[in-house]
């Protein structure tokens, strides 16, 4: 398209030249009922010549391409086979007009000849109004290169003259809105790139160079390669467009500097030859070369001296389809002398000295595409002309647009290959062979890649003799990270990275994302450097655990002892010992201790909201009442023996208004309000502790620290009052000296909870709940054993001390001592 505007301006000039440029040859022209055009780059212009005026080029004076000449002969052979066939186009002869398209900018006379009618090309637009307009060629085979096709396609498109290319692989031609009359018998670059990437992925190569021809074909392949490797672990470390001015020494210096081992060569045959010959000359070794189908079967390079030293060459080639009779045709053609006649310019091969063996022994790549292109056109004509066994309908005249329509419907078998096209004109047939250049100078087939009817890929790696002691070469910017390590990109390329071990609680899945350590779920854990997570062990103290059984037995024993003490005190309710211990208050204390004991049972089993509340609520409420009772008891002793003498009014007020019960009741109500309000504000809920241990989940209760702090304020105040009153009554009579027993019980209480607090700070495993229950049970037993048990001992074993006379004597002695 880039030459299209200049084309229009030069159209008239070229038409003038059409009548002035002729040479003598006969291979390029054959008369027939229907004419097929052929465009072959038999000669190649190896540079852009500077011209002062527009003029056509004499192709025969430029570099001869033997492989293109072979394809040229294939078209002639195909037409001859069709004309000799009794089943395909019977009684209809095909002719051809073939031109040497050696330049994409200066070979237009032949193209204009093909679209002309009787040597004239109507102005654009007029031919569409003239229904009888019929261009010289019913269809065109070619061109070979993408650049040539992009240049000439706009000239054939307005009249919908079918172009069936045998080599133009650019993906741009799949856009039917731009190239409505284009078809091809070779897969597009997209399929070729898919194969190249599949090979790279198969051998786990990451760090590659991509060298392409600096033309439409190569640049299209480069862009497709970039897009294809986006979601893979392949990095394109280096890329370069090759042309006749490329500095190969500098190119290989840059490749060596990047430490690239694998080089993808997506170039034309000539560029491929120049690159490999330069590599041999510059002593480039220990590389893996991946050749595209344009030069993977290049027999010249296969036999080049020193080719075995450049490394390992793998290639992708079109699967070779043997075409019967071609060799005989080449021999018969070259044995005949060309007859002289006036023909159009650029129809001169200038190859009379060429031997048949030279043509036959050439790389067979792109042979079947030419063969199938000619036969596809013939089959389309066959359908248009409603041909039957021995004849075609003479009343039907075929036009190019009809041929195009039938070409897209193609469905026939040629040499056991089903020929079909998709809606974009791309072939729905063909396969690729994967080859290895062995030391015998042959391209040995080692694998296969097929597209239709489904994609399949196979490589027999055992056949490949690698240049690295038969070990698959490594091509990486950075070495693979060890298992359990993530990759941190280092630089512009994702293949260049540093390795970082995944910490505890995370894992790495290289297949999903090699750059990120993924956090485990709350119910899972993982050690450092993991590739997966493990389920956490959920831990709590169940009712059947031995420690739980022991503590619950202790709680039942406590209840039993409390009941025994209560019965004993009830029987001896009016005795001095019971009355001095508190009388009715003793029963209240024992009842509250029993109710506090309920909390112990809720530290076991899987926590619930109810169990979390009942772990603390009964104990804090009823134990507070117990402490209030002991405060009252301590105060009463001091009041009777000291305050009654020094502060008779205070003592009188205390006795008159039952101050002890007011204090106990007030403590109970205050603590109950605090507990209820605190639980409403921050209800204890089951809690899954995942922070302490990475491999375990400790089930417990989530305690609101602020609310809990409020709950212990009142018990703490009551403890302090107990100590004060106990100190004041330290010198009371022995049997009335309850303060010492209370002080000892309080000390046990304080030491118990200090021990628990220390354990809680140092250890937060599942056994902390056992310690908590044990601390509660110890707090209860401290009062039962050290306050009530001595009194029970006196009642049972020293009844003589449980008399009124004994207590009166102690009081009298204390009074005498106190009065002195």
């Amino acid at each position: 398209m880039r030459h299209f505007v200049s084309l229009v301006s030069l159209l008239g000039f070229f038409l003038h030249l059409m009548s002035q440029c002729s040479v003598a040859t006969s291979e390029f022209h054959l008369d027939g009922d229907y004419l097929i055009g052929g465009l072959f780059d038999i000669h190649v212009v190896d540079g852009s010549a500077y011209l002062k005026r527009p003029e056509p080029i004499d192709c025969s004076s430029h570099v001869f391409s033997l492989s293109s000449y072979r394809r040229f002969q294939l078209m002639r052979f195909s037409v001859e086979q069709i004309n000799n066939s009794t089943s395909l186009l019977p009684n209809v002869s095909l002719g051809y007009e073939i031109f040497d398209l050696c330049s994409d900018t200066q070979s237009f006379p032949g193209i204009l000849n093909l679209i002309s009618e009787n040597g004239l090309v109507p102005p654009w637009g007029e031919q569409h109004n003239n229904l009888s307009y019929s261009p010289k060629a019913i269809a065109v085979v070619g061109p070979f290169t993408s650049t040539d096709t992009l240049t000439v396609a706009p000239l054939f498109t307005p009249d919908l003259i079918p172009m069936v290319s045998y080599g133009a692989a650019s993906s741009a031609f799949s856009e039917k809105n731009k190239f409505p009359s284009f078809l091809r018998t070779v897969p597009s670059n997209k399929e070729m790139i898919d194969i190249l990437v599949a090979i790279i992925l198969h051998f786990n190569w990451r760090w590659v160079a991509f060298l392409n021809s600096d033309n439409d074909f190569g640049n299209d392949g480069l862009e497709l390669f970039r897009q294809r490797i986006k979601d893979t672990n392949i990095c394109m470390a280096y890329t370069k467009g090759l042309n006749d001015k490329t500095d190969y020494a500098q190119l290989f210096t840059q490749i060596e500097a990047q430490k690239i081992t694998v080089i993808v060569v997506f170039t034309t045959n000539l560029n491929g030859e120049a690159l490999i010959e330069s590599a041999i000359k510059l002593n480039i070794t220990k590389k893996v070369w991946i050749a595209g189908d344009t030069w993977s079967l290049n027999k010249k390079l296969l036999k080049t001296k020193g080719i075995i030293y450049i490394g390992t060459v793998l290639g992708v080639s079109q699967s070779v389809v043997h075409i019967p009779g071609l060799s005989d045709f080449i021999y018969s053609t070259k044995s005949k002398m060309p007859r002289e006649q006036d023909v159009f310019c650029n129809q001169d091969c200038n190859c009379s000295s060429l031997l048949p063996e030279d043509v036959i022994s050439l790389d067979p790549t792109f042979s079947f595409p030419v063969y199938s292109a000619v036969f596809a056109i013939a089959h389309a004509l066959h359908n248009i002309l409603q041909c039957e066994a021995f004849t075609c309908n003479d009343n039907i005249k075929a036009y190019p647009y009809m041929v195009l329509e039938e070409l897209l419907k193609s469905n026939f078998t040629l040499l056991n290959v089903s020929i079909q096209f998709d809606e974009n004109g791309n072939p729905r047939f063909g396969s690729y062979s994967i080859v290895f250049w062995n030391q015998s100078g042959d391209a040995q087939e080692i694998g296969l890649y097929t597209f239709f009817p489904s994609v399949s890929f196979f490589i027999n790696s055992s056949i490949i003799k690698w240049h690295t002691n038969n070990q698959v070469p490594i091509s990486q910017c950075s070495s693979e990270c060890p298992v359990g390590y993530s990759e941190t990109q280092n630089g512009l390329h994702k293949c260049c990275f540093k390795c970082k071990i995944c910490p505890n609680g995370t894992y790495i899945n290289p297949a999903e994302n090699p750059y990120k350590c993924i956090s485990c779920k709350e119910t899972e854990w993982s050690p450092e450097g993991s590739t997966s997570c493990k389920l956490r062990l959920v831990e709590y103290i169940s009712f059947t655990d031995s420690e739980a059984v022991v503590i619950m037995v202790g709680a039942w024993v406590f209840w039993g002892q409390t009941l025994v003490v209560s019965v004993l005190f009830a029987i001896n309710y009016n005795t001095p010992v019971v009355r001095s211990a508190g009388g009715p208050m003793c029963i209240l204390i024992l009842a509250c201790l029993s109710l506090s004991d309920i909390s112990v049972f809720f530290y076991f089993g899987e926590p619930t909201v109810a169990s979390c509340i009942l772990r603390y609520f009964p104990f804090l409420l009823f134990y507070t009442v117990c402490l209030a009772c002991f405060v009252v008891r301590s105060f009463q002793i001091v009041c009777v023996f000291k305050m009654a003498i020094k502060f008779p009014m205070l003592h009188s007020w205390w006795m008159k208004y039952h101050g002890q019960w007011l204090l106990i009741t007030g403590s109970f109500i205050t603590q109950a309000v605090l507990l209820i309000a605190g639980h409403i504000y921050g209800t204890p809920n089951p809690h899954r502790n995942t922070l302490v241990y990475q491999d375990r989940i400790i089930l417990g209760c989530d305690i609101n620290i602020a609310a809990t702090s409020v709950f212990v304020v009142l018990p703490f105040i009551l403890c302090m009052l107990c100590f004060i009153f106990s100190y004041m009554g330290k010198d009371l009579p022995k049997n009335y000296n309850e303060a010492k027993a209370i002080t000892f019980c309080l000390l046990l209480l304080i030491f118990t909870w200090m021990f628990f607090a220390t354990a809680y700070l140092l250890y937060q495993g599942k056994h902390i709940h056992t310690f908590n229950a044990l601390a509660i049970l110890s707090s209860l037993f401290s009062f039962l054993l050290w306050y009530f048990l001595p009194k029970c001992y006196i009642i049972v074993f020293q009844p003589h001390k449980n008399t009124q006379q004994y207590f009166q004597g102690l009081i009298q002695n204390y009074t005498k001592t106190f009065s002195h």
Side-chain angles (χ1 to χ4, degrees):
M1 295 300 290
R2 58 193 173 92
H3 306 294
F4 184 65
V5 176
S6 59
L7 249 171
V8 176
S9 63
L10 298 176
L11 183 58
F13 184 79
F14 280 134
L15 288 172
H16 173 71
L17 292 172
M18 285 167 58
S19 60
Q20 301 180 0
C21 182
S22 63
V23 294
T25 187
S26 61
E27 291 185 306
F28 291 81
H29 175 79
L30 178 68
D31 291 328
D33 296 327
Y34 288 95
L35 198 69
I36 300 177
L39 298 174
F40 294 83
D41 50 347
I42 300 173
H43 297 84
V44 180
V45 177
D46 57 354
S48 299
Y50 176 74
L51 301 174
K52 293 183 179 179
R53 63 178 185 176
E55 60 185 46
I57 194 170
D58 180 10
C59 291
S60 61
S61 63
H62 290 272
V63 179
F64 177 69
S65 173
L66 187 56
S67 58
S68 288
Y69 179 75
R70 186 179 194 275
R71 293 189 285 270
F72 158 73
Q73 292 295 347
L74 249 169
M75 178 173 174
R76 298 181 63 239
F77 167 70
S78 302
V79 172
E80 181 178 286
Q81 267 200 338
I82 294 167
N83 287 336
N84 293 333
S85 172
T86 57
S87 58
L88 184 62
L89 291 175
N91 296 329
V92 175
S93 63
L94 279 184
Y96 53 74
E97 194 77 51
I98 304 175
F99 295 95
D100 186 359
L101 189 64
C102 61
S103 169
D104 63 327
T105 58
Q106 296 169 269
S107 297
F108 292 107
I111 298 165
L112 297 174
N113 181 287
L114 293 175
I115 65 175
S116 67
E117 183 182 24
N118 299 323
L120 299 174
V121 179
W124 286 354
E126 289 190 11
Q127 64 265 47
H128 303 297
N129 299 323
N130 184 2
L131 298 178
S132 63
Y133 170 69
S134 180
K136 186 174 185 180
I138 196 76
V140 177
V141 175
F144 177 63
T145 70
S146 296
T147 298
D148 287 345
T149 306
L150 285 168
T151 303
V152 305
L155 295 174
F156 295 101
T157 296
D159 301 314
L160 293 181
I161 300 173
M163 296 175 59
V164 187
S165 175
Y166 51 88
S170 173
S171 61
F173 299 124
S174 295
E175 301 179 38
K176 288 289 87 177
N177 59 330
K178 294 182 180 179
F179 304 96
S181 63
F182 177 86
L183 300 92
R184 53 184 158 200
T185 52
V186 291
S188 72
N189 280 343
K190 181 181 181 301
E191 281 73 26
M192 174 57 63
I193 293 300
D194 285 344
I195 301 172
L196 296 176
V197 171
I199 295 172
I200 296 171
L201 291 173
H202 178 79
F203 294 108
N204 198 29
W205 292 322
R206 291 189 175 187
W207 196 235
V208 301
F210 190 92
L211 306 181
N212 60 284
S213 294
D214 188 15
N215 56 21
D216 297 291
F217 163 75
N219 293 332
D220 179 65
L222 173 62
E223 184 58 30
L224 289 171
F225 187 77
R226 278 200 179 103
Q227 294 174 6
R228 179 64 181 80
I229 65 174
K230 276 183 179 179
D231 299 324
T232 68
N233 57 7
I234 301 171
C235 291
M236 188 163 57
Y238 178 78
T239 181
K240 179 71 174 178
L242 307 183
N243 52 43
D244 55 346
K245 298 179 181 180
T246 299
D247 185 343
Y248 288 103
Q250 183 184 27
L251 181 149
F252 287 118
T253 299
Q254 292 171 334
I255 287 178
E256 291 294 340
Q258 295 270 26
K259 298 180 180 179
I260 301 169
T261 304
V262 176
I263 304 173
V264 180
V265 185
F266 193 84
T267 65
T268 63
N269 190 46
L270 291 177
N271 289 145
E273 286 182 2
L275 175 71
I276 299 303
E277 288 170 355
S278 298
I280 296 171
K281 181 179 179 181
L282 296 169
N283 195 29
I284 303 301
T285 60
K286 298 179 180 180
K287 303 293 181 187
V288 176
W289 308 82
I290 305 179
D293 63 340
T294 52
W295 66 279
S296 61
L297 300 182
N298 187 301
K299 296 191 176 183
K300 175 184 175 183
L301 290 177
L302 279 164
K303 304 297 182 181
T304 300
K305 182 180 179 181
I307 192 68
I308 62 173
Y309 301 114
I310 67 172
T312 303
V313 181
L314 303 178
V316 179
S317 69
Q318 296 176 24
S319 296
V320 177
V321 178
H322 177 66
I323 302 176
L326 176 61
S327 298
D328 294 337
F329 176 80
I330 298 296
Y331 275 111
S332 64
T333 299
K334 298 307 296 180
S335 64
K336 297 177 182 178
M337 293 297 293
R339 56 187 177 87
E340 298 291 331
Q341 67 177 29
D342 287 338
V343 295
F344 205 68
C345 68
N346 289 334
Q347 289 184 314
D348 182 15
C349 147
N350 193 20
C351 52
S352 57
S353 61
L354 195 64
L355 297 176
E357 292 79 5
D358 296 334
V359 181
I360 294 169
S361 63
L362 279 175
D363 171 9
T365 305
F366 299 102
S367 295
F368 186 73
V370 175
Y371 191 68
S372 57
V374 176
F375 270 84
I377 295 171
H379 275 273
L381 269 174
H382 184 91
N383 294 334
I384 294 170
L385 300 177
Q386 300 177 0
C387 298
E388 297 178 353
F390 302 103
T391 183
C392 296
N393 191 337
D394 295 336
N395 297 322
I396 299 175
K397 179 173 177 58
Y399 290 93
Y401 73 89
M402 297 179 181
V403 178
L404 175 61
E405 184 178 354
E406 287 297 327
L407 275 170
L408 291 171
K409 299 177 184 177
S410 296
N411 188 1
F412 63 95
T413 301
L414 182 66
L415 300 181
N416 296 321
V417 178
S418 178
I419 307 298
Q420 298 179 58
F421 299 93
D422 65 17
E423 64 277 5
N424 296 319
N426 294 318
R428 294 180 58 85
F429 59 90
S431 61
Y432 278 99
S433 296
I434 300 167
V435 298
F436 159 65
W437 289 15
N438 60 30
Q439 294 184 346
S440 302
D442 298 319
Q444 183 178 1
E445 184 173 325
I446 60 169
L448 188 67
Y449 196 107
T450 60
F451 299 100
F452 303 100
S454 61
V455 174
S456 64
F457 173 62
F458 166 75
I459 291 182
N460 185 358
S461 304
S462 62
I463 300 177
I464 304 174
K465 305 299 181 185
W466 301 101
H467 64 274
T468 51
N469 297 323
N470 287 332
Q471 297 294 321
V472 177
I474 297 173
S475 185
Q476 299 173 339
C477 178
S478 301
S479 299
E480 294 283 350
C481 286
V483 175
Y485 283 71
S486 65
E487 299 173 4
T488 302
Q489 188 169 322
N490 182 21
L492 298 176
H493 296 284
K494 61 184 178 183
C495 296
C496 302
F497 50 80
K498 296 178 181 178
C499 298
K500 181 180 179 182
I501 192 167
C502 289
N504 297 334
T506 65
Y507 71 98
I508 185 74
N509 184 354
E512 181 180 330
N513 188 348
Y515 307 104
K516 183 179 179 182
C517 296
I518 305 169
S519 298
C520 294
K521 298 177 182 177
E522 189 181 71
T523 56
E524 297 175 334
W525 75 284
S526 65
E528 189 178 62
S530 296
T531 56
S532 62
C533 293
K534 306 174 184 178
L535 282 176
R536 286 189 176 194
L537 180 64
V538 179
E539 290 190 342
Y540 60 91
I541 305 297
S542 68
F543 288 101
T544 57
D545 288 355
S546 57
E547 55 202 273
V549 172
V550 170
I551 291 177
M552 286 189 294
V553 168
W556 284 109
V557 169
F558 177 81
W559 268 349
Q561 289 180 344
T562 304
L563 180 60
V564 171
V565 172
S566 299
V567 172
L568 185 62
F569 270 47
I571 295 172
N572 298 275
Y573 183 75
N574 293 317
T575 61
V577 170
V578 174
R579 296 186 68 81
S580 66
M585 200 174 294
C586 291
I587 304 302
L588 177 60
I589 294 173
L590 290 170
C592 287
L593 289 176
S594 298
L595 292 172
S596 298
D597 193 40
I598 295 173
S599 294
V600 172
F601 295 93
F602 294 98
Y603 281 90
F604 312 116
E606 188 171 350
T608 63
V609 174
S611 66
C612 286
I613 293 173
L614 294 174
R615 284 184 180 189
Y616 304 101
F617 193 97
F619 175 71
L620 289 172
L621 179 60
F622 296 110
Y623 204 76
T624 300
V625 176
C626 291
L627 290 174
C629 290
F630 284 112
V631 169
V632 168
R633 186 65 193 136
S634 301
F635 177 74
Q636 281 180 327
I637 296 171
V638 174
C639 182
V640 169
F641 286 95
K642 294 186 177 183
M643 293 186 64
I645 298 173
K646 296 183 177 181
F647 306 101
M649 292 296 296
L650 180 60
H651 177 261
S652 175
W653 181 90
W654 178 267
M655 296 302 293
K656 179 179 179 181
Y657 294 104
H658 303 286
Q660 68 274 25
W661 298 113
L662 290 175
L663 179 62
I664 292 169
T665 304
S667 298
F668 173 78
I669 294 172
T670 302
Q671 185 69 341
V673 170
L674 291 175
L675 285 170
I676 293 171
H679 282 85
I680 293 174
Y681 172 74
T683 303
N685 291 307
H687 174 64
R688 301 167 69 88
N689 191 336
T690 59
L691 301 177
V692 179
Y693 301 101
Q694 64 169 355
D695 60 339
R696 284 170 282 172
I697 298 176
I698 308 300
L699 298 187
C701 295
D702 186 16
I703 305 301
N704 188 296
I705 300 300
T708 305
S709 301
V710 174
F711 299 158
V712 299
V713 169
L714 185 55
F716 178 76
I717 293 173
L718 293 174
C719 283
M720 293 301 295
L721 290 174
C722 275
F723 271 113
I724 294 171
F725 295 139
S726 297
Y727 178 78
M728 292 173 62
K730 65 181 183 300
D731 56 348
L732 293 177
K734 184 178 181 181
N735 279 28
Y736 281 91
N737 198 347
E738 310 293 344
K740 292 181 180 179
I742 294 173
T743 301
F744 184 71
C745 291
L746 290 174
L747 288 174
L748 288 177
L749 178 66
I750 292 170
F751 287 142
T752 295
W753 289 101
M754 286 180 63
F755 173 77
F756 171 74
T758 303
Y760 186 83
L761 291 174
L762 299 178
Y763 170 77
Q764 293 186 13
K766 69 174 183 176
H767 298 291
I768 196 66
H769 305 303
T770 303
F771 296 153
N772 202 341
L774 193 59
I776 290 176
L777 199 58
S778 176
S779 301
L780 300 177
F781 269 110
S782 64
F783 282 113
L784 181 65
L785 296 180
W786 303 110
Y787 185 79
F788 289 100
L789 194 60
K791 294 168 177 54
C792 293
Y793 181 80
I794 293 174
I795 293 171
V796 177
F797 297 105
Q798 295 179 341
H800 64 280
K801 294 183 179 180
N802 190 19
T803 62
Q804 192 69 29
Q805 293 81 2
Y806 184 77
F807 272 78
Q808 287 293 336
L810 292 175
I811 294 172
Q812 288 175 2
N813 291 333
Y814 175 77
T815 305
K816 290 178 182 179
T817 304
F818 188 75
S819 61
H820 292 301

